[in-house]
Amino acid sequence: MSPRPQPGREYVLTLSCPDRAGLVHAVSGFLVRNSGNILESQQFDDRLQDRFFMRVHFDVSDPNVDLEGLRHRFGPVAEAYRISWTLRDASTPTRTLIMVSKFGHCLNDLLFRRRTGALNIEIPAIVSNHREFEKLAETYDIPFHHVPVTRDTKAEAEARLLELVRDLDVDLVVLARYMQILSDDLCKQLEGRAINIHHSFLPSFKGARPYEQAYDRGVKLIGATAHYVTSDLDEGQIIEQDVVRVDHSLDPGELVTVGRDVEAQVLAHAVKWHSESRVMVEGNRTVVFR
């Protein structure tokens, strides 16, 4: 595991803009002028769309250089090259609210990874429409909010969720097998900061028992997809996917076990990359600097 970033010393700059000559030179020049030293740099030139993407992790040696000063000084560079950008302290954890229903494998995995330092996130709350994982939240000393959802209370439940997002200063909402469809309005309000996980059988094998359907069809691959939440159900921008090969010897229950392992790993990757500013959304696609 790589060492934790130093607070007030290490920063991450991400940017996208129309491609043109001199972009890398402009960024490196900005870093030199501000005592910056590049620790990691990745870039992608999308020739089909004529767009340039870049992520730079750097540290600064001058103790008088801070985040706000860097943001102020990068402004003219961004304006000159029509750059869309973010600049953040690499050490700052992403405040992450986790939502779950009755399947806890993804929740448990995220909690464990957070405790061991594998994820640079803070979890100010767990929200569920059931009470199955209230005691699990207690073992990690994380506040648990039971927000039941029915057809009549859906609007009230979503209002409560948004209230928590605002009050707890939440950066990211993770649907860790939260089995409720979010309204179009809520999806829009959480655009770019909500991640969902589901099995990769979709659009086939819809419904409550996808693995039984997959067993009946004799599938040979089981996978999972993590994506941003949009109003188009399960069609948001994909962050990560993975598959595992299976065969006829596995019964439906064993397929479920394999599927849960893949779901947990794929979701953890997506949360990690988002929290480290490695994911950049461009239309219906993402650029992921792993």
Side-chain angles (χ1 to χ4, degrees):
M1 185 182 302
S2 59
R4 284 190 173 278
Q6 302 177 56
R9 284 285 309 279
E10 295 184 29
Y11 303 92
V12 174
L13 171 67
T14 61
L15 61 89
S16 66
C17 60
D19 191 24
R20 58 178 284 191
L23 284 166
V24 174
H25 181 267
V27 172
S28 60
F30 160 75
L31 295 177
V32 168
R33 292 191 300 273
N34 290 277
S35 73
N37 174 55
I38 295 176
L39 303 175
E40 179 185 6
S41 179
Q42 295 166 289
Q43 63 191 60
F44 171 60
D45 186 357
D46 186 346
R47 295 186 178 183
L48 293 178
Q49 303 297 326
D50 198 30
R51 297 285 295 179
F52 178 80
F53 302 84
M54 190 174 192
R55 177 187 184 273
V56 183
H57 178 192
F58 64 96
D59 63 10
V60 294
S61 57
D62 187 343
N64 295 315
V65 174
D66 60 12
L67 180 59
E68 291 308 313
L70 287 169
R71 285 173 172 167
H72 176 73
R73 293 166 195 157
F74 190 69
V77 179
E79 185 176 355
Y81 288 88
R82 297 164 54 199
I83 294 173
S84 298
W85 58 284
T86 65
L87 179 59
R88 58 183 290 270
D89 190 314
S91 70
T92 303
T94 300
R95 291 181 61 79
T96 304
L97 183 149
I98 302 178
M99 304 187 71
V100 65
S101 290
K102 289 189 174 183
F103 300 104
H105 52 288
C106 289
L107 169 66
N108 194 54
D109 182 75
L110 292 173
L111 293 175
F112 179 77
R113 290 174 189 260
R114 168 63 187 91
R115 172 166 286 182
T116 59
L119 292 175
N120 186 23
I121 62 175
E122 288 181 2
I123 306 174
I126 295 171
V127 174
S128 180
N129 52 330
H130 300 281
R131 291 191 177 275
E132 269 79 350
F133 302 109
E134 189 168 7
K135 290 185 178 179
L136 177 63
E138 290 177 359
T139 64
Y140 283 89
D141 196 28
I142 297 173
F144 181 90
H145 300 268
H146 178 224
V147 183
V149 181
T150 67
R151 181 177 300 177
D152 295 331
T153 65
K154 186 178 182 67
E156 179 183 340
E158 291 193 346
R160 175 58 178 152
L161 171 62
L162 285 175
E163 181 182 35
L164 288 170
V165 169
R166 288 191 298 266
D167 293 349
L168 299 175
D169 196 24
V170 167
D171 302 309
L172 176 67
V173 174
V174 175
L175 279 59
R177 292 303 306 273
Y178 180 69
M179 307 305 289
Q180 291 288 326
I181 297 175
L182 305 185
S183 68
D184 289 355
D185 179 66
L186 181 58
C187 290
K188 290 176 182 177
Q189 296 199 54
L190 296 177
E191 184 176 3
R193 54 189 184 124
I195 295 175
N196 188 27
I197 182 72
H198 61 70
H199 59 80
S200 283
F201 295 138
L202 294 174
S204 300
F205 311 146
K206 296 180 180 180
R209 300 171 66 83
Y211 288 98
E212 285 77 0
Q213 298 175 58
Y215 173 80
D216 291 339
R217 288 292 303 276
V219 300
K220 299 299 183 276
L221 291 173
I222 285 180
T225 295
H227 62 87
Y228 286 112
V229 174
T230 66
S231 56
D232 293 325
L233 181 63
D234 294 328
E235 295 186 17
Q237 301 93 341
I238 295 170
I239 304 170
E240 170 67 329
Q241 294 178 299
D242 201 1
V243 294
V244 173
R245 183 166 289 279
V246 296
D247 61 28
H248 60 275
S249 66
L250 301 183
D251 63 31
E254 291 170 321
L255 292 180
V256 169
T257 299
V258 172
R260 288 177 177 174
D261 286 343
V262 181
E263 289 170 3
Q265 185 174 54
V266 167
L267 182 60
H269 286 166
V271 171
K272 177 178 175 62
W273 295 336
H274 177 96
S275 68
E276 294 178 354
S277 300
R278 296 183 179 274
V279 185
M280 304 181 70
V281 175
E282 181 68 15
N284 294 323
R285 304 172 66 243
T286 58
V287 173
V288 182
F289 292 121
R290 302 185 181 186

